[in-house]
C-alpha cells in the first residue's frame, strides 16, 4: 500500500494575513503567527472572534494557529467556518486542503481545485493533486497534474517514482523510462532504482538500453535473482537466446522456489520450440512447489505443443483444482477477494443488494458464482439456488457470458453434461477468451465421450493461457515498478 505523505503548502502567512488591516488589533495576531507564538495568537484571537464572529480572516488565522500547535481537527473546523463565511478565502482554502491531504481524504480534491481556479499556475496545488490522484489510482489524471507541476518534483525521487508508475499504468513506457533515469541520476548507487529502470526499458522494447542499465549490477559477479531475471528478459528481447537461458538458469539456482523464474524458462522454451526442455525444468519447479497452479498450466501448454493431449488435460485439471479462482469471472474474483474468500459474508452482501433489486442480472449471477464455490452437492439447497440464480440472470440478460459459464459449471457438477456443453458454447460466444468455458467444454465433451473436438480445444486453451501468462508477467513487472516508494513532501 502507498503510504500518506505530507506536502507543505507554500503559503506565506505574513503575505496572506497582513491583509487583515481592516480588523482592529489584527497586527499583533499576525506578528504572533509570524513569530510562531501560536499560544499567544490563539489567546489574542478569542476576544477578536467574540467581537467579529463573521470575519472569515480571523477564523483562517485561528486555523493557522491550531496547525502550528498540531491540532489539525480544531484547525480544520476553523478553516471550514471561514469558508462558510467567505468561500474564496485563500488561506482557509489552502489550510483546509493541507489538512485533508495529509489525512488522505478525497475531500482535499475539491479544495485544491478551488485554489487552482484562483491560481491556475500554482505548482504546489498541481503537485498535491498529482499525488492524490496517484494514491487514489487515477493514473491518467495524475499524469496530467504531474506534467502541470513542472519542475516542482525534480529533486524528489519518491515523487518522480510515483510519476513513472503513472506513466507505466497508462502505457507511456518511453516517458516512464526517462523519468526513472532522472531518479537514478539523483541516486546512482541505488540497485532497486536501476532494476526499476531496466524493467521499464524492457516494457518499452528497449532491451539494449535495459542491458546497459543492468551492466553495473551484472559486472559485480554476484547479481541477485531479480537482476538476472530482468537480464534474461532483455537478452530474449534482443534475440540473444543463449544468454537469456543462461541468465534465467542462474536465477533459478539462486532462488529455486521462485515460481516466476520457471515460468520465464517455460516461455523461452515455448518461443523456441524446446517444449521437452521446458517440461523438464517445470518438473524441477514442481518438485519444490507441488501446489503451484501456474506451473501446471505452463506444463499443460507445453504438452499441447507435443500433442500429448491426455497429459495436457490432466495438468489443466490439476491447475484448476489448485486454483479454483480461475473459474471465477473478474467481477466475482473482485468480490470474493474483497471478502477474503469469506463466502458467507460475500453472499450476505449480494443478497442484501438483491433485496433492493431482485431483477439485477449481475447480482443474480454473482449469487450463483459465490454459491457455486461453496456448494458442490447438487442436492443441497444452496446448489439449487445457484442454478436458479444463473438461469434467472440469463433470462434477464441472455448475453451475460459469465452467467452461462457458471451455469455450465453447475451442470457439470450435477452430471448434466449435454446442457453444460451448450452453456459453455454460449459463454464462449460472449467471450471467446473465457479459459474456464473452454476447459469446462473439454470436460463436458470428455464425459459424453465426444473426443474429436478436444485436441483443438486444448490448443485453444493453450493459446489463451499463453496470452494470460503474458499479462501476468506484465503485472509481475508492475509489482517491481510500484514498489513501496512514496512521493515525498514538497518543501
Amino acid at each position: 500500500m502507498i503510504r500518506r505523505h505530507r506536502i507543505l503548502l507554500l503559503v506565506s502567512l505574513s503575505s496572506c494575513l497582513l491583509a487583515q488591516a481592516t480588523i482592529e488589533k489584527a497586527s499583533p495576531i499576525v506578528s504572533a503567527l509570524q513569530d510562531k507564538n501560536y499560544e499567544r495568537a490563539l489567546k489574542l484571537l478569542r476576544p477578536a472572534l467574540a467581537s467579529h464572529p463573521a470575519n472569515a480572516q480571523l477564523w483562517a488565522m485561528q486555523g493557522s494557529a491550531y496547525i502550528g500547535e498540531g491540532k489539525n481537527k480544531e484547525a480544520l473546523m476553523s478553516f471550514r467556518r471561514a469558508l462558510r463565511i467567505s468561500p474564496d478565502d485563500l488561506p482557509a482554502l489552502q489550510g483546509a486542503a493541507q489538512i485533508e491531504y495529509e489525512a488522505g481524504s478525497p475531500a482535499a480534491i475539491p479544495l485544491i481545485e478551488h485554489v487552482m481556479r484562483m491560481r491556475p499556475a500554482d505548482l504546489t496545488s498541481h503537485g498535491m493533486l498529482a499525488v492524490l490522484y496517484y494514491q487514489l489510482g487515477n493514473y491518467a489524471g495524475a499524469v496530467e497534474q504531474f506534467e502541470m507541476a513542472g519542475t516542482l518534483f525534480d529533486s524528489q525521487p519518491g515523487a518522480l517514482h510515483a510519476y513513472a508508475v503513472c506513466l507505466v499504468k497508462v502505457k507511456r513506457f518511453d516517458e516512464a523510462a526517462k523519468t526513472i533515469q532522472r531518479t537514478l541520476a539523483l541516486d546512482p548507487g541505488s540497485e532497486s532504482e536501476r532494476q526499476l529502470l531496466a524493467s521499464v526499458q524492457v516494457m518499452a522494447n528497449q532491451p539494449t538500453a535495459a542491458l546497459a542499465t543492468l551492466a553495473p549490477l551484472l559486472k559485480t559477479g554476484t547479481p541477485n535473482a531479480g537482476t538476472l531475471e530482468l537480464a534474461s528478459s532483455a537478452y530474449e528481447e534482443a534475440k540473444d537466446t543463449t544468454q537469456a537461458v543462461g541468465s534465467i538458469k542462474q536465477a533459478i539456482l539462486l532462488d529455486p522456489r521462485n515460481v516466476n523464474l520457471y515460468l520465464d524458462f517455460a516461455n523461452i522454451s515455448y518461443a523456441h520450440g524446446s517444449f521437452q526442455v521446458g517440461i523438464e525444468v517445470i518438473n524441477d519447479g514442481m518438485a519444490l512447489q507441488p501446489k503451484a497452479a501456474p506451473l501446471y498450466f505452463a506444463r499443460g501448454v507445453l504438452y499441447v505443443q507435443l500433442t500429448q493431449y491426455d497429459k495436457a488435460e490432466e495438468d489443466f485439471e490439476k491447475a484448476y483444482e489448485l486454483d479454483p479462482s480461475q473459474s471465477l469471472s473478474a467481477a466475482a474474483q473482485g468480490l470474493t477477494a474483497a471478502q477474503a474468500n469469506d463466502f458467507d459474508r460475500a453472499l450476505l452482501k449480494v443478497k442484501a443488494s438483491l433485496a433492493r433489486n431482485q431483477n439485477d442480472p449481475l447480482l443474480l449471477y454473482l449469487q450463483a458464482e459465490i454459491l457455486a464455490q461453496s456448494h458442490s452437492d447438487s442436492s443441497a439447497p444452496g446448489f439449487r439456488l445457484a442454478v436458479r440464480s444463473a438461469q434467472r440472470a440469463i433470462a434477464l440478460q441472455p448475453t451475460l457470458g459469465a452467467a452461462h459459464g457458471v451455469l455450465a459449471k453447475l451442470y457439470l457438477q450435477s452430471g448434466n453434461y449435454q446442457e453444460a456443453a451448450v452453456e459453455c458454447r454460449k459463454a464462449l460466444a460472449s467471450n471467446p477468451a473465457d479459459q474456464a468455458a473452454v476447459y469446462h467444454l473439454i470436460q463436458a465433451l470428455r464425459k459424453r465421450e465426444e473426443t474429436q473436438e478436444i485436441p483443438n480445444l486444448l490448443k485453444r486453451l493453450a493459446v489463451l493461457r499463453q496470452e494470460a501468462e503474458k499479462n501476468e508477467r506484465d503485472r509481475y513487472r508492475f509489482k517491481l515498478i510500484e514498489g513501496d516508494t512514496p512521493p515525498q513532501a514538497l518543501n
Side-chain angles (χ1 to χ4, degrees):
M1 291 291 295
I2 301 297
R3 301 185 298 272
R4 293 302 312 164
H5 294 272
R6 192 166 187 258
I7 286 185
L8 299 177
L9 291 167
L10 303 183
V11 178
S12 169
L13 286 173
S14 58
S15 62
C16 288
L17 299 177
L18 281 175
Q20 318 302 317
T22 58
I23 303 172
E24 186 179 358
K25 298 181 181 180
S27 183
I29 301 172
V30 174
S31 296
L33 289 171
Q34 289 176 316
D35 294 341
K36 300 183 179 180
N37 189 341
Y38 304 118
E39 183 178 359
R40 174 172 169 74
L42 288 169
K43 184 176 181 180
L44 292 169
L45 277 161
R46 291 188 189 100
L49 280 168
S51 300
H52 304 279
N55 190 288
Q57 296 163 333
L58 284 174
W59 286 107
M61 288 185 191
Q62 180 170 269
S64 297
Y66 278 132
I67 281 183
E69 290 203 332
K71 298 177 179 178
N72 284 359
K73 181 178 179 181
E74 292 83 351
L76 184 59
M77 292 174 62
S78 296
F79 289 135
R80 291 290 186 188
R81 181 72 177 268
L83 291 173
R84 284 198 295 272
I85 298 167
S86 177
D88 289 333
D89 188 280
L90 186 60
L93 280 169
Q94 291 176 312
Q98 176 178 324
I99 293 169
E100 297 283 22
Y101 173 87
E102 290 172 6
S105 171
I109 292 175
L111 293 166
I112 297 168
E113 289 173 340
H114 194 147
V115 173
M116 289 166 62
R117 287 194 293 273
M118 298 172 67
R119 292 189 171 185
D122 181 37
L123 300 185
T124 298
S125 293
H126 286 293
M128 292 176 73
L129 201 54
V131 173
L132 272 173
Y133 281 160
Y134 160 62
Q135 294 178 328
L136 292 172
N138 180 359
Y139 302 112
V143 165
E144 181 181 356
Q145 294 303 319
F146 273 118
E147 290 170 347
M148 296 292 290
T151 61
L152 188 67
F153 293 118
D154 277 1
S155 62
Q156 299 190 31
L160 289 173
H161 179 105
Y163 183 21
V165 169
C166 295
L167 288 167
V168 169
K169 291 290 189 179
V170 298
K171 301 188 183 304
R172 289 165 58 176
F173 299 121
D174 290 344
E175 295 166 78
K178 291 176 183 176
T179 301
I180 298 171
Q181 283 174 330
R182 291 159 62 190
T183 69
L184 187 59
L186 293 172
D187 186 9
S190 172
E191 180 176 341
S192 61
E193 208 66 21
R194 191 169 291 278
Q195 288 181 323
L196 176 64
L197 175 56
S199 184
V200 174
Q201 287 169 329
V202 168
M203 285 190 277
N205 297 315
Q206 299 173 6
T208 303
L211 289 168
T213 297
L214 292 172
L217 302 179
L218 294 170
K219 289 177 181 177
T220 63
T222 57
N224 62 33
T227 296
L228 289 164
E229 183 183 18
L230 281 170
S232 177
S233 297
Y235 281 129
E236 177 64 9
E237 187 71 25
K239 303 188 184 308
D240 189 345
T241 303
T242 301
Q243 288 279 27
V245 170
S247 294
I248 201 64
K249 281 185 173 180
Q250 190 177 350
I252 289 172
L253 288 173
L254 290 173
D255 191 4
R257 301 185 67 83
N258 187 333
V259 169
N260 288 301
L261 300 179
Y262 296 97
L263 298 178
D264 280 347
F265 193 98
N267 287 335
I268 295 173
S269 301
Y270 180 92
H272 296 282
S274 299
F275 308 124
Q276 187 58 46
V277 174
I279 288 170
E280 291 170 1
V281 172
I282 290 290
N283 288 341
D284 292 340
M286 286 178 170
L288 295 171
Q289 298 281 32
K291 295 185 178 180
L295 294 178
Y296 287 92
F297 277 123
R299 192 173 68 176
V301 168
L302 294 171
Y303 275 137
V304 168
Q305 310 315 309
L306 294 174
T307 69
Q308 297 182 26
Y309 299 123
D310 288 344
K311 290 183 177 180
E313 192 174 346
E314 184 180 338
D315 271 350
F316 289 139
E317 184 175 352
K318 182 65 174 179
Y320 279 104
E321 176 189 324
L322 290 169
D323 186 5
S325 68
Q326 289 289 330
S327 65
L328 288 170
S329 74
Q333 283 186 42
L335 181 60
T336 55
Q339 303 295 350
N341 290 320
D342 184 341
F343 293 116
D344 291 337
R345 186 178 173 194
L347 186 59
L348 285 173
K349 183 175 181 180
V350 171
K351 283 185 173 180
S353 299
L354 273 171
R356 295 189 295 271
N357 186 359
Q358 60 182 349
N359 290 320
D360 186 316
L362 181 58
L363 289 172
L364 287 163
Y365 150 67
L366 286 173
Q367 178 168 264
E369 187 78 83
I370 294 166
L371 287 167
Q373 298 304 307
S374 54
H375 294 81
S376 57
D377 182 358
S378 60
S379 64
F383 186 96
R384 295 195 297 271
L385 176 59
V387 172
R388 292 196 301 273
S389 297
Q391 290 171 335
R392 178 65 177 155
I394 291 167
L396 291 165
Q397 188 176 333
T399 59
L400 186 56
H404 288 289
V406 70
L407 187 55
K409 178 182 176 182
L410 292 165
Y411 282 151
L412 271 173
Q413 289 175 318
S414 62
N416 191 345
Y417 305 124
Q418 181 176 351
E419 289 301 318
V422 170
E423 294 301 326
C424 285
R425 295 189 195 280
K426 289 180 179 178
L428 290 168
S430 296
N431 179 15
D434 187 337
Q435 295 178 56
V438 176
Y439 171 65
H440 290 144
L441 180 55
I442 292 169
Q443 285 186 307
L445 293 175
R446 175 71 68 189
K447 293 292 187 179
R448 288 178 58 79
E449 298 183 357
E450 298 173 3
T451 59
Q452 183 177 356
E453 193 181 349
I454 289 178
N456 285 334
L457 288 170
L458 285 167
K459 291 176 184 178
R460 181 175 179 178
L461 183 56
V463 170
L464 292 174
R465 279 308 309 172
Q466 280 300 102
E467 292 173 354
E469 174 62 21
K470 181 182 182 302
N471 293 333
E472 287 164 10
R473 301 306 294 144
D474 287 343
R475 286 194 291 271
Y476 178 63
R477 286 203 179 98
F478 282 167
K479 183 174 70 173
L480 174 61
I481 300 301
E482 290 171 330
D484 194 31
T485 305
Q488 298 176 1
L490 300 178
N491 49 47

